[in-house]
Amino acid sequence: MKNWEANVRQVVPYTPGEQPNQEDMIKLNTNENPYPPAPGVKEVLERLDTGTLRLYPDPTAGELVSAIAENYGLEKDQVFVGVGSDDVLAMSFLTFFNSGRPILFPDITYSFYDVWAELFRIPYERPALDEQFHIRKEDYFRENGGIIFPNPNAPTGVELPLEDIEEIVARNQDVIVIVDEAYVDFGARSALPLLKKYENLLVVQTFSKSRSLAGMRIGFACGNARLIRYLNDVKYSFNSYTMDRTALAAGTAAVKDQEYFRETCRKIIETREWTKKELRSLGFSFQDSKANFIFASHNVCPAEELFQALRKRHIYVRYFPGGRTENFLRITVGTRKEMEIFIDFLKKYFKDREKKRPE
Ligand code: PMP
C-alpha cells in the first residue's frame, strides 16, 4: 500500500438540497423563487450573440458591478461579484479569516460555513442559538478571528434586529463581520446602510432567491473599497473569469427591473403570511420568519414522518435530521396555488392519521 492518501485534502462536503425533476412536483426544498426572472432577462438571453462566446468575458464584470452599485447607491469599487453567493462567501472566508483565532457563527445556521472553515483550516466556534432559535448578540462580544451569520438566519428565518447587528459590528472592529443577506429582501432590514460607518463590515447578497436566478449563479458582496480590493486580489489569484457572458447579461437585466423585483417579493411575503396562518391552525409552531421559507415543527406528527409522506406525493421540503432541528421541516414559500395544494395535503393527511389511531 502506497501512502499517497495521507497527503490528500480530505473534506466532508456540503450536501446540497435534492434537485428532483417530476412533472407534478411541488418543489419547496431549496428556497428558490417560484416566479420566473424579470422579463428583461429573457430578452437579453434571446438577443445574446453566441458569436461573442468565443471571447473571454469582462474579468471585472463591469456592467453587472455598475448596475448593482447604482441600485444600492454605492460606488463601483464597493461591489464584488461571484458565481452565486456561495462563491462570494468562499472567497471571503479565504480572504478575511486568517488570524488563526476561531471565527464565530451560530450552531444552527447555513451548513456551508463549517465546510468552508474545515476546507480552509480556519478554527471556528459555534455559539448556540437561544431556546427560541434567536442569535444572542452577547455571544459575539468576545475575542475572535471574524464573524459570519445570515440575516435572516437560515434555516430558522429569524431576523436579528439591525441595532444588534450594529452592536456586533461596532464591538468587533479588529475583525471582519460578514452578514449573509441571502434572504433579506423578504422583509428583513439590510445592514447595507451601516457600510458608511464601519469598514469591517461585508454584506453578501444573492440573485438566487429574490431575483429568481438560482440557475444562473450570481452573488455579490458590498463593503468598503479596501475590503473589495482584497477580495478581488484573491479572486484573481484563483480564477479571473468567474462570471460568464450569459450571467453578466442576465444579472444586469434582473437588477435593473426594480418594479418586477418588488412585486415578486411582495407576492412571496403575502403567501408566506397566509401559509403561516394555515400552518398554525394545523398545529405547527415556528418562530416568525422574515425569509422565503418557514421552519416549522408539528405538535404531534414527527417531522421525518411528514417529510416522507410529502415526498411520496412529490411535495419536496427540507429536513435536517439530528440535534435541535430533528423535529423541524424547512418549507420554502412557493406560489399561492402551490401552498394551497401543500396545505390541503396536510389537512387530509392529519385527518386520515387521526382516523387510523386506535380508540
Ligand atoms: N447563504 C445562505 C444563508 C443560503 O441559504 C444560501 C443558499 N443555499 C446561500 C448563501 C447560497 O446561495 P447562492 O450560492 O445560490 O447565492
Side-chain angles (χ1 to χ4, degrees), residues 254-278:
V255 84
K256 285 190 168 159
D257 196 338
Q258 274 303 95
E259 203 177 312
Y260 182 86
F261 161 78
R262 271 196 291 270
E263 179 56 16
T264 43
C265 290
R266 189 196 60 76
K267 282 196 285 194
I268 290 166
I269 292 169
E270 193 176 278
T271 307
R272 177 187 69 208
E273 296 309 309
W274 177 83
T275 309
K276 282 179 188 170
K277 226 166 48 214
E278 295 292 316

Side-chain angles (χ1 to χ4, degrees), residues 14 30-31 83-87 89 109-110 112-113 116 150-154 180-183 204-209 213-214 217-219 293 318 330:
Y14 172 73
T30 48
N31 298 342
V83 187
S85 54
D86 281 342
D87 180 46
L89 290 166
T109 194
Y110 186 30
F112 223 138
Y113 298 160
W116 287 314
N151 194 47
N153 195 9
D180 176 354
E181 296 191 324
Y183 303 102
V204 176
Q205 293 195 6
T206 179
F207 281 42
S208 299
K209 320 291 178 184
L213 281 174
R217 314 303 300 126
I218 303 171
F293 54 82
R318 191 92 192 253
R330 192 195 66 190

Side-chain angles (χ1 to χ4, degrees), residues 326-342:
E326 168 74 18
N327 207 25
F328 285 80
L329 296 176
R330 192 195 66 190
I331 304 148
T332 303
V333 177
T335 61
R336 172 68 180 250
K337 181 96 194 88
E338 287 175 321
M339 300 323 275
E340 282 172 3
I341 297 171
F342 165 71

Side-chain angles (χ1 to χ4, degrees), residues 16 22 43-44 78 118 124 130 141 148 174 182 192-193 212 219 234 252 256 258 264 293 315 318 322 332:
Q22 283 122 355
E43 272 166 45
V44 293
Q78 290 185 278
E118 296 280 350
Y124 58 96
D130 72 13
F141 298 165
I148 178 162
D174 290 333
L192 283 171
S212 306
V234 167
T252 306
K256 285 190 168 159
Q258 274 303 95
T264 43
F293 54 82
I315 299 175
R318 191 92 192 253
T332 303

